[in-house]
Amino acid sequence: MYQTALLLLSGPLRILIESIGPYLSWTNKKVTNCLYVKLEPELYSPFSKSDNISLKRLSTVVPVVYHKASSLCKNVDVRVLFGNLEQSKFTQRKQLNFDAVLTNCDPTDINTYLKQNYGKSCDNIIKLNEIDIPTCKEEFESDDAEFQTYKTVCLGGTFDRLHNGHKVFLSEAVLKASKELVVGVSDGVTLKRKVLWELIEPVEERIKDVTNFLEDIDPSLKYEVVPIYDVYGPTVTMPDIDCLVVTTETRVGGEKVNNERKNRGMTEVKLHIIDVVENTDRSKDEDEKLSSSTKRMHLLGKPLKTSKPSLITKPYCVLLRGHPLSGKSFIASKLQLSGVPVLCCDEILHAIFIKDSELKEFICKEFGGEIYNDGDSFDLEKLIIACLKSKEKKDCLEQLVLNKLTSTLQQVFQVYSEQESHTILVKDSSIFEGCELGIKVNEIWAAILPSSESIKLFKEHYQVTEEEAAELIDSLPSNEQYVAAANVLFCNKWSPDTTQQQVNRAYSYLKSIQKST
Protein backbone atom coordinates (compact mmCIF):
# COMPACT_ATOMS: atom_id res chain seq x y z
CA MET A 1 0.00 0.00 0.00
CA TYR A 2 1.11 3.54 -0.76
CA GLN A 3 0.05 6.71 1.03
CA THR A 4 0.28 8.88 -2.08
CA ALA A 5 0.58 7.92 -5.73
CA LEU A 6 0.49 9.39 -9.24
CA LEU A 7 -1.86 7.71 -11.72
CA LEU A 8 -0.35 8.56 -15.11
CA LEU A 9 -2.45 7.49 -18.08
CA SER A 10 -1.64 7.93 -21.75
CA GLY A 11 -3.71 7.26 -24.85
CA PRO A 12 -6.68 8.62 -26.80
CA LEU A 13 -9.04 10.58 -24.59
CA ARG A 14 -12.01 8.29 -25.21
CA ILE A 15 -9.97 5.28 -24.16
CA LEU A 16 -8.77 7.04 -21.02
CA ILE A 17 -12.28 8.04 -19.97
CA GLU A 18 -13.67 4.56 -20.60
CA SER A 19 -10.83 2.97 -18.64
CA ILE A 20 -10.59 5.46 -15.76
CA GLY A 21 -13.22 3.59 -13.73
CA PRO A 22 -11.41 0.23 -13.68
CA TYR A 23 -8.09 1.98 -13.08
CA LEU A 24 -9.49 3.95 -10.13
CA SER A 25 -11.06 0.81 -8.71
CA TRP A 26 -7.75 -1.04 -8.87
CA THR A 27 -5.82 1.95 -7.53
CA ASN A 28 -8.17 2.25 -4.55
CA LYS A 29 -6.72 -1.03 -3.28
CA LYS A 30 -3.18 0.34 -3.46
CA VAL A 31 -3.45 3.94 -2.19
CA THR A 32 -4.59 5.05 1.26
CA ASN A 33 -4.33 8.83 1.25
CA CYS A 34 -3.96 10.88 -1.93
CA LEU A 35 -4.07 9.96 -5.62
CA TYR A 36 -2.90 12.45 -8.24
CA VAL A 37 -4.35 11.75 -11.68
CA LYS A 38 -2.52 12.95 -14.79
CA LEU A 39 -4.00 12.34 -18.23
CA GLU A 40 -1.66 12.57 -21.22
CA PRO A 41 -4.03 11.75 -24.10
CA GLU A 42 -1.71 12.40 -27.04
CA LEU A 43 1.58 11.66 -25.37
CA TYR A 44 3.07 8.33 -26.35
CA SER A 45 6.41 6.85 -25.39
CA PRO A 46 8.96 8.35 -25.42
CA PHE A 47 7.79 11.38 -23.43
CA SER A 48 8.96 14.13 -25.70
CA LYS A 49 5.76 15.43 -27.27
CA SER A 50 3.69 18.30 -25.91
CA ASP A 51 0.18 17.42 -24.77
CA ASN A 52 -2.26 19.40 -26.95
CA ILE A 53 -5.44 18.42 -25.15
CA SER A 54 -7.92 21.24 -25.49
CA LEU A 55 -9.35 23.17 -22.57
CA LYS A 56 -12.87 22.23 -23.63
CA ARG A 57 -12.01 18.55 -23.64
CA LEU A 58 -10.39 18.79 -20.24
CA SER A 59 -13.44 20.66 -18.94
CA THR A 60 -15.53 17.71 -20.12
CA VAL A 61 -13.23 15.06 -18.70
CA VAL A 62 -12.60 16.40 -15.18
CA PRO A 63 -16.19 15.95 -13.90
CA VAL A 64 -16.19 12.38 -15.23
CA VAL A 65 -13.05 11.49 -13.28
CA TYR A 66 -14.29 13.01 -10.03
CA HIS A 67 -17.75 11.48 -10.44
CA LYS A 68 -16.27 8.01 -10.80
CA ALA A 69 -13.83 8.65 -7.95
CA SER A 70 -16.74 9.49 -5.63
CA SER A 71 -17.99 5.91 -5.80
CA LEU A 72 -14.76 4.01 -6.48
CA CYS A 73 -12.28 5.86 -4.22
CA LYS A 74 -14.46 7.10 -1.37
CA ASN A 75 -11.66 7.37 1.17
CA VAL A 76 -8.92 8.63 -1.14
CA ASP A 77 -8.25 12.29 -1.93
CA VAL A 78 -8.24 12.28 -5.75
CA ARG A 79 -6.77 15.30 -7.56
CA VAL A 80 -6.71 15.73 -11.34
CA LEU A 81 -3.57 17.61 -12.36
CA PHE A 82 -3.34 20.06 -15.25
CA GLY A 83 -0.07 20.26 -17.10
CA ASN A 84 1.60 20.55 -20.48
CA LEU A 85 -1.44 22.14 -22.06
CA GLU A 86 -1.40 24.31 -25.15
CA GLN A 87 0.90 27.33 -24.90
CA SER A 88 2.25 25.90 -21.62
CA LYS A 89 -0.74 27.42 -19.85
CA PHE A 90 -0.47 24.96 -16.97
CA THR A 91 3.22 24.17 -16.72
CA GLN A 92 3.81 22.16 -13.56
CA ARG A 93 6.25 23.86 -11.20
CA LYS A 94 5.22 22.63 -7.78
CA GLN A 95 7.09 19.55 -6.65
CA LEU A 96 4.51 16.97 -5.68
CA ASN A 97 5.30 14.17 -3.28
CA PHE A 98 4.19 10.66 -4.23
CA ASP A 99 5.42 7.22 -3.23
CA ALA A 100 4.60 5.41 -6.47
CA VAL A 101 3.64 5.93 -10.10
CA LEU A 102 0.86 3.76 -11.52
CA THR A 103 0.80 3.93 -15.29
CA ASN A 104 -0.40 2.24 -18.46
CA CYS A 105 2.71 3.55 -20.25
CA ASP A 106 6.00 1.85 -20.94
CA PRO A 107 7.82 2.36 -17.60
CA THR A 108 11.23 2.70 -19.29
CA ASP A 109 11.10 6.46 -19.74
CA ILE A 110 8.80 7.34 -16.84
CA ASN A 111 11.54 8.90 -14.73
CA THR A 112 12.56 11.13 -17.63
CA TYR A 113 8.98 12.35 -17.80
CA LEU A 114 8.83 12.83 -14.02
CA LYS A 115 12.01 14.89 -13.93
CA GLN A 116 10.80 17.09 -16.78
CA ASN A 117 7.38 17.70 -15.26
CA TYR A 118 7.79 17.30 -11.50
CA GLY A 119 11.49 17.71 -10.88
CA LYS A 120 11.88 14.27 -9.30
CA SER A 121 12.15 10.57 -10.03
CA CYS A 122 10.40 7.61 -8.41
CA ASP A 123 11.63 4.12 -7.52
CA ASN A 124 8.17 2.54 -7.45
CA ILE A 125 6.77 2.44 -10.98
CA ILE A 126 3.94 -0.02 -11.51
CA LYS A 127 2.76 -0.97 -15.00
CA LEU A 128 -1.02 -1.28 -15.23
CA ASN A 129 -2.68 -3.91 -17.36
CA GLU A 130 -4.39 -2.69 -20.50
CA ILE A 131 -8.19 -2.61 -20.39
CA ASP A 132 -10.31 -3.70 -23.34
CA ILE A 133 -12.57 -0.84 -24.43
CA PRO A 134 -15.38 -1.11 -27.03
CA THR A 135 -14.55 0.74 -30.24
CA CYS A 136 -18.07 1.90 -31.07
CA LYS A 137 -18.06 5.11 -29.08
CA GLU A 138 -16.94 8.33 -30.72
CA GLU A 139 -14.12 10.57 -29.61
CA PHE A 140 -14.94 13.73 -27.66
CA GLU A 141 -15.47 16.67 -29.95
CA SER A 142 -12.91 19.45 -29.80
CA ASP A 143 -13.98 23.06 -30.16
CA ASP A 144 -11.63 25.37 -28.29
CA ALA A 145 -13.41 28.45 -29.65
CA GLU A 146 -16.36 27.71 -27.39
CA PHE A 147 -14.25 27.64 -24.24
CA GLN A 148 -13.29 31.22 -23.48
CA THR A 149 -10.75 32.05 -20.80
CA TYR A 150 -10.55 35.21 -18.71
CA LYS A 151 -7.70 37.06 -17.06
CA THR A 152 -9.31 37.17 -13.59
CA VAL A 153 -11.93 34.64 -12.52
CA CYS A 154 -13.84 34.45 -9.25
CA LEU A 155 -15.99 31.91 -7.41
CA GLY A 156 -17.30 31.44 -3.89
CA GLY A 157 -18.53 28.75 -1.55
CA THR A 158 -18.29 27.27 1.92
CA PHE A 159 -15.78 24.58 0.93
CA ASP A 160 -16.22 22.62 4.13
CA ARG A 161 -14.42 19.28 4.09
CA LEU A 162 -13.32 19.54 0.48
CA HIS A 163 -15.10 16.92 -1.63
CA ASN A 164 -15.23 15.97 -5.30
CA GLY A 165 -18.06 18.38 -6.05
CA HIS A 166 -15.85 21.22 -4.80
CA LYS A 167 -12.97 19.89 -6.89
CA VAL A 168 -15.03 20.01 -10.10
CA PHE A 169 -16.12 23.57 -9.24
CA LEU A 170 -12.60 24.76 -8.47
CA SER A 171 -11.06 22.93 -11.45
CA GLU A 172 -13.48 24.55 -13.88
CA ALA A 173 -12.57 27.97 -12.48
CA VAL A 174 -8.88 27.16 -12.90
CA LEU A 175 -9.47 26.24 -16.54
CA LYS A 176 -11.30 29.52 -17.14
CA ALA A 177 -8.55 31.67 -15.58
CA SER A 178 -5.50 32.77 -17.54
CA LYS A 179 -3.79 34.77 -14.80
CA GLU A 180 -5.61 34.99 -11.45
CA LEU A 181 -8.29 33.10 -9.54
CA VAL A 182 -10.08 34.74 -6.60
CA VAL A 183 -11.93 32.40 -4.23
CA GLY A 184 -14.33 33.58 -1.53
CA VAL A 185 -14.79 31.21 1.41
CA SER A 186 -18.02 31.82 3.34
CA ASP A 187 -17.91 32.63 7.04
CA GLY A 188 -19.95 34.35 9.74
CA VAL A 189 -23.74 34.44 9.79
CA THR A 190 -23.96 33.10 6.23
CA LEU A 191 -23.01 29.67 7.59
CA LYS A 192 -26.03 29.42 9.87
CA ARG A 193 -28.30 28.54 6.95
CA LYS A 194 -26.29 25.35 6.43
CA VAL A 195 -27.26 21.92 7.73
CA LEU A 196 -25.23 21.09 10.86
CA TRP A 197 -23.42 24.40 10.55
CA GLU A 198 -22.00 23.90 14.03
CA LEU A 199 -19.69 21.24 12.58
CA ILE A 200 -18.29 23.41 9.77
CA GLU A 201 -14.51 23.67 9.97
CA PRO A 202 -12.90 27.01 10.91
CA VAL A 203 -12.54 29.34 7.94
CA GLU A 204 -8.75 29.37 8.30
CA GLU A 205 -8.65 25.61 7.80
CA ARG A 206 -11.00 25.75 4.81
CA ILE A 207 -8.93 28.49 3.17
CA LYS A 208 -5.79 26.42 3.69
CA ASP A 209 -7.38 23.32 2.12
CA VAL A 210 -8.65 25.24 -0.93
CA THR A 211 -5.28 26.91 -1.46
CA ASN A 212 -3.43 23.62 -1.15
CA PHE A 213 -5.71 21.96 -3.69
CA LEU A 214 -5.40 24.79 -6.22
CA GLU A 215 -1.62 24.96 -5.95
CA ASP A 216 -1.46 21.19 -6.43
CA ILE A 217 -3.51 21.05 -9.62
CA ASP A 218 -2.09 24.22 -11.21
CA PRO A 219 0.73 26.19 -9.58
CA SER A 220 1.03 28.62 -12.49
CA LEU A 221 -1.92 30.85 -11.54
CA LYS A 222 -2.05 33.57 -8.93
CA TYR A 223 -4.51 32.65 -6.17
CA GLU A 224 -6.30 34.90 -3.70
CA VAL A 225 -8.40 32.88 -1.26
CA VAL A 226 -10.25 35.10 1.22
CA PRO A 227 -13.12 34.87 3.74
CA ILE A 228 -16.45 36.39 2.68
CA TYR A 229 -19.44 37.34 4.82
CA ASP A 230 -22.16 37.90 2.23
CA VAL A 231 -23.14 36.80 -1.27
CA TYR A 232 -20.91 39.42 -2.91
CA GLY A 233 -17.45 39.16 -1.36
CA PRO A 234 -14.69 40.60 -3.56
CA THR A 235 -16.90 40.66 -6.68
CA VAL A 236 -18.13 44.16 -5.77
CA THR A 237 -14.76 45.51 -4.62
CA MET A 238 -12.55 44.20 -7.46
CA PRO A 239 -13.57 45.87 -10.76
CA ASP A 240 -11.13 43.76 -12.78
CA ILE A 241 -12.94 40.45 -12.21
CA ASP A 242 -14.04 39.23 -15.65
CA CYS A 243 -15.85 35.97 -14.94
CA LEU A 244 -17.79 34.46 -12.05
CA VAL A 245 -18.13 30.67 -11.97
CA VAL A 246 -21.42 29.53 -10.42
CA THR A 247 -23.45 26.34 -10.27
CA THR A 248 -27.02 25.82 -11.40
CA GLU A 249 -27.98 26.26 -7.72
CA THR A 250 -26.11 29.54 -7.17
CA ARG A 251 -26.92 31.24 -10.48
CA VAL A 252 -29.33 33.63 -8.72
CA GLY A 253 -26.47 34.78 -6.49
CA GLY A 254 -24.43 35.50 -9.61
CA GLU A 255 -27.23 37.65 -10.99
CA LYS A 256 -27.33 39.58 -7.70
CA VAL A 257 -23.60 40.21 -8.06
CA ASN A 258 -24.08 41.73 -11.51
CA ASN A 259 -26.93 43.93 -10.30
CA GLU A 260 -24.77 45.23 -7.46
CA ARG A 261 -21.80 45.81 -9.79
CA LYS A 262 -24.04 47.87 -12.08
CA ASN A 263 -25.23 49.88 -9.08
CA ARG A 264 -21.60 50.62 -8.25
CA GLY A 265 -20.68 51.61 -11.79
CA MET A 266 -18.74 48.43 -12.60
CA THR A 267 -19.03 46.28 -15.70
CA GLU A 268 -20.95 43.03 -15.38
CA VAL A 269 -19.01 39.80 -15.07
CA LYS A 270 -19.56 36.83 -17.34
CA LEU A 271 -21.49 34.12 -15.49
CA HIS A 272 -20.09 30.68 -16.28
CA ILE A 273 -22.60 28.08 -15.06
CA ILE A 274 -21.73 24.45 -14.33
CA ASP A 275 -23.79 21.53 -13.08
CA VAL A 276 -23.48 20.15 -9.57
CA VAL A 277 -22.09 16.63 -9.17
CA GLU A 278 -24.72 13.99 -8.47
CA ASN A 279 -24.48 11.89 -5.31
CA THR A 280 -25.20 8.43 -6.72
CA ASP A 281 -24.59 6.60 -3.45
CA ARG A 282 -26.90 8.48 -1.12
CA SER A 283 -29.44 7.48 1.50
CA LYS A 284 -32.96 8.90 1.41
CA ASP A 285 -32.18 11.81 3.77
CA GLU A 286 -28.99 12.90 2.02
CA ASP A 287 -28.60 15.54 -0.68
CA GLU A 288 -28.97 14.50 -4.30
CA LYS A 289 -25.69 16.28 -5.05
CA LEU A 290 -22.27 15.77 -3.51
CA SER A 291 -22.36 18.14 -0.56
CA SER A 292 -20.60 19.11 2.64
CA SER A 293 -23.93 18.73 4.45
CA THR A 294 -23.87 15.01 3.71
CA LYS A 295 -20.25 14.77 4.86
CA ARG A 296 -21.20 16.45 8.13
CA MET A 297 -24.13 14.03 8.50
CA HIS A 298 -21.64 11.18 8.23
CA LEU A 299 -19.78 12.57 11.26
CA LEU A 300 -22.82 11.95 13.47
CA GLY A 301 -22.39 8.95 15.73
CA LYS A 302 -18.62 8.98 15.19
CA PRO A 303 -16.03 10.23 17.69
CA LEU A 304 -15.29 13.92 17.15
CA LYS A 305 -12.67 13.59 19.86
CA THR A 306 -11.68 10.69 22.12
CA SER A 307 -10.87 10.36 25.78
CA LYS A 308 -7.28 10.15 26.87
CA PRO A 309 -6.22 6.60 27.81
CA SER A 310 -5.36 7.73 31.34
CA LEU A 311 -9.01 8.69 31.87
CA ILE A 312 -10.43 5.28 30.93
CA THR A 313 -12.06 3.58 33.92
CA LYS A 314 -14.61 0.83 34.50
CA PRO A 315 -17.44 1.18 34.04
CA TYR A 316 -16.74 3.49 31.11
CA CYS A 317 -19.36 6.18 31.58
CA VAL A 318 -20.98 8.08 28.73
CA LEU A 319 -23.21 11.02 29.63
CA LEU A 320 -25.89 11.71 27.00
CA ARG A 321 -26.90 15.36 27.01
CA GLY A 322 -29.34 17.49 25.03
CA HIS A 323 -32.42 19.68 25.20
CA PRO A 324 -35.78 18.20 26.10
CA LEU A 325 -37.32 16.65 22.94
CA SER A 326 -33.90 16.46 21.24
CA GLY A 327 -34.13 12.70 20.74
CA LYS A 328 -32.14 11.57 23.79
CA SER A 329 -34.75 9.00 24.78
CA PHE A 330 -34.83 7.44 21.29
CA ILE A 331 -31.03 7.25 21.16
CA ALA A 332 -30.76 5.80 24.67
CA SER A 333 -33.46 3.20 23.98
CA LYS A 334 -31.73 2.02 20.81
CA LEU A 335 -28.40 1.70 22.60
CA GLN A 336 -30.12 -0.18 25.40
CA LEU A 337 -31.56 -2.63 22.86
CA SER A 338 -27.98 -3.21 21.70
CA GLY A 339 -27.03 -4.23 25.23
CA VAL A 340 -25.68 -0.98 26.67
CA PRO A 341 -26.85 -0.44 30.29
CA VAL A 342 -28.75 2.86 30.55
CA LEU A 343 -29.40 4.98 33.62
CA CYS A 344 -32.11 7.59 33.10
CA CYS A 345 -31.81 10.54 35.48
CA ASP A 346 -35.42 11.56 34.86
CA GLU A 347 -36.65 8.11 35.92
CA ILE A 348 -34.60 8.30 39.11
CA LEU A 349 -35.96 11.80 39.80
CA HIS A 350 -39.50 10.60 39.16
CA ALA A 351 -39.11 7.94 41.86
CA ILE A 352 -37.61 10.49 44.27
CA PHE A 353 -40.41 12.99 43.71
CA ILE A 354 -43.08 10.38 44.41
CA LYS A 355 -41.47 8.98 47.57
CA ASP A 356 -40.18 12.19 49.18
CA SER A 357 -42.99 14.00 51.01
CA GLU A 358 -40.84 17.08 51.68
CA LEU A 359 -40.17 17.50 47.97
CA LYS A 360 -43.83 16.94 47.18
CA GLU A 361 -44.81 19.72 49.56
CA PHE A 362 -42.23 22.09 48.05
CA ILE A 363 -43.27 21.33 44.47
CA CYS A 364 -46.97 21.78 45.19
CA LYS A 365 -46.25 25.09 46.89
CA GLU A 366 -43.88 26.51 44.27
CA PHE A 367 -45.13 24.94 41.04
CA GLY A 368 -48.78 24.16 41.78
CA GLY A 369 -50.64 21.06 42.83
CA GLU A 370 -51.35 20.01 39.24
CA ILE A 371 -47.80 18.58 39.03
CA TYR A 372 -49.13 15.66 41.09
CA ASN A 373 -52.10 13.86 39.58
CA ASP A 374 -54.43 11.79 41.76
CA GLY A 375 -52.27 12.20 44.81
CA ASP A 376 -49.22 10.10 43.99
CA SER A 377 -49.04 10.21 40.18
CA PHE A 378 -46.35 12.66 39.11
CA ASP A 379 -46.29 14.65 35.83
CA LEU A 380 -42.61 15.16 35.02
CA GLU A 381 -43.40 17.00 31.77
CA LYS A 382 -45.28 19.72 33.65
CA LEU A 383 -42.38 20.13 36.05
CA ILE A 384 -39.90 20.38 33.17
CA ILE A 385 -41.78 23.23 31.51
CA ALA A 386 -42.32 24.96 34.87
CA CYS A 387 -38.59 24.82 35.60
CA LEU A 388 -37.78 26.12 32.12
CA LYS A 389 -40.04 29.10 32.75
CA SER A 390 -38.58 29.94 36.17
CA LYS A 391 -34.85 29.60 36.70
CA GLU A 392 -35.19 30.82 40.28
CA LYS A 393 -37.63 28.05 41.22
CA LYS A 394 -35.57 25.48 39.35
CA ASP A 395 -32.46 26.49 41.30
CA CYS A 396 -34.33 26.10 44.59
CA LEU A 397 -35.55 22.65 43.56
CA GLU A 398 -32.03 21.72 42.49
CA GLN A 399 -30.68 22.47 45.97
CA LEU A 400 -33.25 20.12 47.48
CA VAL A 401 -33.03 17.19 45.08
CA LEU A 402 -29.66 17.10 43.32
CA ASN A 403 -27.82 15.46 46.23
CA LYS A 404 -30.45 12.71 46.29
CA LEU A 405 -29.98 12.13 42.56
CA THR A 406 -26.18 12.00 42.76
CA SER A 407 -26.31 9.67 45.76
CA THR A 408 -28.54 7.22 43.87
CA LEU A 409 -26.29 7.36 40.80
CA GLN A 410 -23.19 6.70 42.89
CA GLN A 411 -24.82 3.66 44.50
CA VAL A 412 -25.76 2.22 41.11
CA PHE A 413 -22.27 2.91 39.77
CA GLN A 414 -20.77 1.00 42.67
CA VAL A 415 -22.86 -2.02 41.73
CA TYR A 416 -21.77 -1.84 38.10
CA SER A 417 -18.16 -1.40 39.19
CA GLU A 418 -18.30 -4.53 41.34
CA GLN A 419 -19.80 -6.42 38.40
CA GLU A 420 -16.89 -5.17 36.23
CA SER A 421 -19.30 -3.81 33.62
CA HIS A 422 -17.48 -2.26 30.69
CA THR A 423 -19.78 0.62 29.74
CA ILE A 424 -22.80 2.49 31.00
CA LEU A 425 -24.86 5.28 29.45
CA VAL A 426 -26.33 7.97 31.69
CA LYS A 427 -29.16 9.97 30.12
CA ASP A 428 -28.95 13.43 31.64
CA SER A 429 -31.89 15.00 33.42
CA SER A 430 -34.21 17.20 31.39
CA ILE A 431 -34.74 19.38 34.46
CA PHE A 432 -31.16 19.72 35.70
CA GLU A 433 -29.43 19.28 32.33
CA GLY A 434 -25.72 19.98 32.61
CA CYS A 435 -25.54 19.88 36.41
CA GLU A 436 -22.72 18.06 38.21
CA LEU A 437 -23.87 14.48 38.85
CA GLY A 438 -21.08 13.38 41.15
CA ILE A 439 -19.97 10.49 38.94
CA LYS A 440 -16.89 9.86 36.82
CA VAL A 441 -17.82 10.72 33.22
CA ASN A 442 -15.45 9.51 30.51
CA GLU A 443 -17.25 10.97 27.52
CA ILE A 444 -20.07 13.38 26.77
CA TRP A 445 -22.41 12.55 23.92
CA ALA A 446 -24.94 15.14 22.81
CA ALA A 447 -28.16 15.24 20.80
CA ILE A 448 -28.93 18.47 18.97
CA LEU A 449 -31.65 19.82 16.71
CA PRO A 450 -31.78 22.94 14.53
CA SER A 451 -33.31 25.83 16.44
CA SER A 452 -36.30 25.96 14.09
CA GLU A 453 -37.03 22.27 14.73
CA SER A 454 -36.72 22.70 18.50
CA ILE A 455 -39.09 25.68 18.49
CA LYS A 456 -41.66 23.70 16.53
CA LEU A 457 -41.44 20.73 18.91
CA PHE A 458 -41.59 22.90 22.05
CA LYS A 459 -44.58 24.77 20.68
CA GLU A 460 -46.52 21.57 19.97
CA HIS A 461 -45.46 19.51 22.99
CA TYR A 462 -45.64 22.14 25.72
CA GLN A 463 -48.55 24.10 24.21
CA VAL A 464 -46.75 27.44 24.14
CA THR A 465 -46.50 30.19 21.55
CA GLU A 466 -43.62 30.35 19.08
CA GLU A 467 -42.16 33.33 20.95
CA GLU A 468 -42.37 31.49 24.28
CA ALA A 469 -40.78 28.40 22.74
CA ALA A 470 -37.89 30.49 21.40
CA GLU A 471 -37.36 32.08 24.84
CA LEU A 472 -37.34 28.68 26.55
CA ILE A 473 -34.76 27.33 24.10
CA ASP A 474 -32.61 30.44 24.50
CA SER A 475 -32.45 29.70 28.24
CA LEU A 476 -30.81 26.32 27.53
CA PRO A 477 -27.25 25.56 26.37
CA SER A 478 -26.74 26.35 22.68
CA ASN A 479 -25.95 23.78 20.02
CA GLU A 480 -22.49 25.31 19.74
CA GLN A 481 -21.89 24.60 23.44
CA TYR A 482 -23.03 21.01 23.03
CA VAL A 483 -20.79 20.50 20.00
CA ALA A 484 -17.78 22.01 21.76
CA ALA A 485 -18.15 19.59 24.69
CA ALA A 486 -19.28 16.46 22.83
CA ASN A 487 -17.15 13.44 22.02
CA VAL A 488 -19.99 12.06 19.88
CA LEU A 489 -22.86 14.01 18.35
CA PHE A 490 -26.35 12.99 17.22
CA CYS A 491 -29.04 14.87 15.33
CA ASN A 492 -32.61 13.59 15.25
CA LYS A 493 -33.67 15.95 12.44
CA TRP A 494 -34.25 13.24 9.85
CA SER A 495 -36.01 9.89 9.68
CA PRO A 496 -35.71 7.26 12.45
CA ASP A 497 -33.62 5.15 10.07
CA THR A 498 -31.04 7.92 9.76
CA THR A 499 -30.90 8.34 13.54
CA GLN A 500 -30.53 4.57 13.85
CA GLN A 501 -27.50 4.73 11.54
CA GLN A 502 -25.96 7.29 13.89
CA VAL A 503 -26.66 5.02 16.87
CA ASN A 504 -25.11 2.06 15.05
CA ARG A 505 -21.91 4.02 14.45
CA ALA A 506 -21.82 5.13 18.09
CA TYR A 507 -22.35 1.56 19.28
CA SER A 508 -19.49 0.33 17.08
CA TYR A 509 -17.28 3.03 18.57
CA LEU A 510 -18.34 1.99 22.08
CA LYS A 511 -17.44 -1.63 21.32
CA SER A 512 -14.00 -0.55 20.14
CA ILE A 513 -13.50 1.18 23.51
CA GLN A 514 -14.52 -1.99 25.33
CA LYS A 515 -11.88 -3.94 23.43
CA SER A 516 -9.21 -1.39 24.32
CA THR A 517 -10.02 -1.59 28.03
Side-chain angles (χ1 to χ4, degrees), residues 2 10 35 55 57 94 106 120 129 166 183 196 231 243 254 266 272 284 298 305 321 342 388 420 433 463 470 501 516:
Y2 303 101
S10 179
L35 177 67
L55 295 178
R57 284 182 173 183
K94 181 179 180 180
D106 182 349
K120 62 177 293 183
N129 294 327
H166 292 142
V183 183
L196 296 171
V231 70
C243 174
M266 300 180 188
H272 180 66
K284 64 180 180 180
H298 290 172
K305 54 187 176 184
R321 298 185 58 195
V342 174
L388 287 174
E420 296 189 353
E433 210 281 336
Q463 296 297 299
Q501 291 172 9
S516 68

Side-chain angles (χ1 to χ4, degrees), residues 372-436:
Y372 286 87
N373 301 319
D374 301 325
D376 291 331
S377 178
F378 181 79
D379 194 330
L380 185 63
E381 291 293 318
K382 288 183 179 179
L383 184 59
I384 290 172
I385 189 65
C387 286
L388 287 174
K389 289 182 176 180
S390 175
K391 184 179 184 304
E392 183 179 352
K393 290 181 179 180
K394 189 205 82 168
D395 290 344
C396 291
L397 181 61
E398 181 182 319
Q399 291 179 6
L400 291 173
V401 76
L402 195 58
N403 285 340
K404 300 177 188 292
L405 172 62
T406 57
S407 176
T408 303
L409 284 172
Q410 289 167 356
Q411 292 173 25
V412 175
F413 257 69
Q414 183 60 35
V415 173
Y416 277 100
S417 179
E418 292 171 357
Q419 294 175 350
E420 296 189 353
S421 298
H422 285 285
T423 57
I424 187 169
L425 181 81
V426 177
K427 185 164 80 74
D428 207 357
S429 166
S430 298
I431 301 175
F432 307 121
E433 210 281 336
C435 291
E436 177 59 49

Side-chain angles (χ1 to χ4, degrees), residues 346-373:
D346 283 341
E347 291 179 1
I348 296 173
L349 285 172
H350 188 276
I352 293 172
F353 289 140
I354 288 178
K355 293 179 181 179
D356 195 308
S357 58
E358 180 184 350
L359 281 173
K360 180 177 180 180
E361 182 180 345
F362 173 82
I363 290 171
C364 289
K365 178 182 177 182
E366 297 295 331
F367 296 97
E370 67 273 9
I371 301 293
Y372 286 87
N373 301 319

Side-chain angles (χ1 to χ4, degrees), residues 260-310:
E260 184 62 23
R261 283 177 68 92
K262 283 195 295 184
N263 292 338
R264 299 189 183 202
M266 300 180 188
T267 58
E268 293 187 22
V269 296
K270 171 67 177 178
L271 296 184
H272 180 66
I273 305 166
I274 67 170
D275 292 327
V276 296
V277 180
E278 182 184 1
N279 180 8
T280 56
D281 189 28
R282 68 184 186 92
S283 68
K284 64 180 180 180
D285 288 324
E286 294 175 355
D287 288 344
E288 294 182 0
K289 64 172 184 175
L290 290 181
S291 72
S292 298
S293 299
T294 297
K295 295 197 77 170
R296 291 192 293 274
M297 284 178 66
H298 290 172
L299 294 175
L300 300 173
K302 295 180 179 179
L304 302 176
K305 54 187 176 184
T306 55
S307 293
K308 298 178 181 179
S310 60

Side-chain angles (χ1 to χ4, degrees), residues 27-268:
T27 303
N28 187 50
K29 303 171 185 177
K30 302 292 182 181
V31 181
T32 59
N33 187 12
C34 182
L35 177 67
Y36 297 111
V37 178
K38 186 62 168 59
L39 305 179
E40 298 282 14
E42 299 177 17
L43 185 61
Y44 299 92
S45 181
F47 292 96
S48 59
K49 293 175 63 178
S50 174
D51 181 1
N52 293 319
I53 181 174
S54 70
L55 295 178
K56 183 173 178 60
R57 284 182 173 183
L58 197 55
S59 174
T60 304
V61 168
V62 168
V64 176
V65 177
Y66 282 122
H67 186 271
K68 290 183 179 293
S70 295
S71 58
L72 299 174
C73 301
K74 292 182 179 180
N75 299 316
V76 178
D77 180 5
V78 175
R79 302 186 172 200
V80 181
L81 306 178
F82 304 143
N84 295 332
L85 293 178
E86 292 177 283
Q87 301 173 350
S88 299
K89 181 176 185 291
F90 294 107
T91 301
Q92 290 285 352
R93 295 172 188 164
K94 181 179 180 180
Q95 187 169 22
L96 299 176
N97 294 315
F98 41 82
D99 308 318
V101 177
L102 317 173
T103 182
N104 65 345
C105 306
D106 182 349
T108 307
D109 295 316
I110 289 292
N111 274 322
T112 300
Y113 171 86
L114 294 177
K115 288 177 181 178
Q116 289 175 348
N117 289 273
Y118 304 107
K120 62 177 293 183
S121 59
C122 183
D123 295 331
N124 301 310
I125 299 174
I126 301 172
K127 178 70 166 67
L128 301 173
N129 294 327
E130 294 294 336
I131 296 174
D132 292 331
I133 302 297
T135 58
C136 59
K137 294 189 177 181
E138 296 182 358
E139 176 69 278
F140 283 100
E141 294 183 1
S142 175
D143 187 358
D144 291 344
E146 294 183 10
F147 196 90
Q148 184 177 353
T149 60
Y150 301 86
K151 183 178 178 181
T152 303
V153 175
C154 184
L155 79 163
T158 306
F159 300 110
D160 181 42
R161 293 175 171 82
L162 207 64
H163 56 69
N164 288 335
H166 292 142
K167 293 173 186 177
V168 170
F169 192 28
L170 291 165
S171 296
E172 184 72 4
V174 165
L175 291 173
K176 299 297 288 185
S178 61
K179 182 178 179 181
E180 181 178 9
L181 178 60
V182 181
V183 183
V185 181
S186 300
D187 197 30
V189 295
T190 60
L191 300 182
K192 295 194 176 183
R193 295 190 295 268
K194 303 289 184 179
V195 174
L196 296 171
W197 65 268
E198 300 89 350
L199 289 175
I200 293 176
E201 295 172 315
V203 68
E204 296 83 6
E205 191 168 339
R206 289 180 281 131
I207 287 175
K208 180 181 177 182
D209 288 345
V210 169
T211 304
N212 177 269
F213 173 78
L214 293 172
E215 291 179 347
D216 265 1
I217 67 170
D218 176 20
S220 69
L221 291 177
K222 176 185 177 183
Y223 296 113
E224 186 173 351
V225 186
V226 297
I228 59 174
Y229 304 95
D230 55 34
V231 70
Y232 305 111
T235 59
V236 294
T237 59
M238 296 178 64
D240 294 337
I241 291 175
D242 307 302
C243 174
L244 179 63
V245 180
V246 296
T247 69
T248 49
E249 291 185 341
T250 60
R251 178 175 185 167
V252 173
E255 293 169 350
K256 288 182 178 179
V257 164
N258 271 334
N259 288 335
E260 184 62 23
R261 283 177 68 92
K262 283 195 295 184
N263 292 338
R264 299 189 183 202
M266 300 180 188
T267 58
E268 293 187 22

Side-chain angles (χ1 to χ4, degrees), residues 325-327 330-331 447-449 490-496 499 502:
L325 311 180
S326 62
F330 179 86
I331 294 162
I448 64 171
L449 279 175
F490 303 89
C491 182
N492 200 35
K493 167 183 169 65
W494 301 279
S495 66
T499 306
Q502 300 170 29

